[in-house]
Amino acid sequence: MALKATIFKADLQLSDIDRHHYQNYSLTLARHPSETDERMLLRLAAFAFNASDRLEFTRGISTDDEPDLWQKSLSDEIELWIELGQADEKRIRRACGRSNRVILYPYGERSALPWWQQNRDALLRFKHLEVRFLAPDNPSALTALVQRNMTLTATIQEGQLWLSDGQNEVTIQAEPWQVPEA
């Protein structure tokens, strides 16, 4: 019998000073059995960095044809494709072909930096691809935020996210590695 996803609920109070976006979100996150708590919280951070009323979590890690998050237009076209981790070039090419805008959030310093050095030149050809390295100041503090029902406060300023549950706090930097041409 296959293992099922674990469901987490998060009430996120977001203050994005960079985009002047202030909103409360009630989110449901399904953590796949192969996904770590750190990755799940980084998906939540990716949501916070790009929050909108139409941005939603997908089946993500359990499917090959969906990103971790996406935003669709009212006519069901993919406007924004958000992927976490070190995706291969073929997956990024497919994402860029299906979406108007693609954001890739690599994480994990030991694996992300060598991946970026190896793939940077190939990824530069994708004109609407944005790559931002997610760097939590303390990954163990990030996982301390994980509970089945979470109430979180998120503040974003100058590309930096402060995430808190009232007792624990973590800072996540979204370091730009590739920014699309204007």
Side-chain angles (χ1 to χ4, degrees):
M1 183 165 107
L3 296 174
K4 295 186 179 198
T6 304
I7 304 300
F8 292 82
K9 301 283 186 174
D11 288 324
L12 181 67
Q13 181 181 4
L14 177 65
S15 298
D16 187 339
I17 297 166
D18 292 345
R19 295 186 304 143
H20 304 289
H21 181 82
Y22 308 94
Q23 186 75 35
N24 293 329
Y25 293 94
S26 292
L27 304 170
T28 300
L29 294 100
R31 189 187 69 205
H32 188 270
S34 66
E35 184 176 36
T36 64
D37 286 343
E38 177 185 9
R39 186 180 191 285
M40 181 183 69
L41 261 289
L42 289 174
R43 278 194 299 131
L44 183 75
F47 178 92
F49 279 117
N50 300 280
S52 78
D53 292 336
R54 291 194 328 268
L55 184 65
E56 59 186 277
F57 294 100
T58 67
R59 293 177 288 173
I61 203 168
S62 65
T63 60
D64 288 335
D65 61 342
E66 292 183 3
D68 291 292
L69 296 119
W70 62 17
Q71 179 176 307
K72 290 186 169 185
S73 69
L74 297 175
S75 59
D76 207 36
E77 295 171 340
I78 303 170
E79 297 174 328
L80 175 61
W81 178 292
I82 299 174
E83 191 84 37
L84 259 72
Q86 292 78 41
D88 64 18
E89 182 186 352
K90 180 180 176 184
R91 184 166 176 86
I92 294 168
R93 182 176 53 249
R94 185 176 36 206
C96 288
R98 292 182 62 193
S99 177
N100 298 332
R101 184 172 169 223
V102 177
I103 302 176
L104 177 62
Y105 287 105
Y107 65 93
E109 202 165 346
R110 285 190 201 148
S111 59
L113 290 173
W115 170 86
W116 178 242
Q117 291 168 348
Q118 182 180 6
N119 292 282
R120 173 181 32 216
D121 293 338
L123 298 180
L124 286 173
R125 69 187 173 111
F126 301 113
K127 300 301 179 202
H128 57 281
L129 172 66
E130 185 174 343
V131 181
R132 294 192 172 272
F133 175 64
L134 288 180
D137 63 347
N138 184 349
S140 62
L142 186 65
T143 58
L145 296 171
V146 175
Q147 296 178 23
R148 292 294 294 268
N149 292 296
M150 299 174 273
T151 302
L152 302 169
T153 303
T155 303
I156 299 172
Q157 187 172 17
E158 297 178 5
Q160 197 168 49
L161 168 67
W162 291 275
L163 194 60
S164 173
D165 66 359
Q167 296 177 358
N168 302 295
E169 184 176 304
V170 65
T171 303
I172 303 170
Q173 182 70 39
E175 181 182 324
W177 282 357
Q178 179 174 322
V179 179
E181 297 174 1

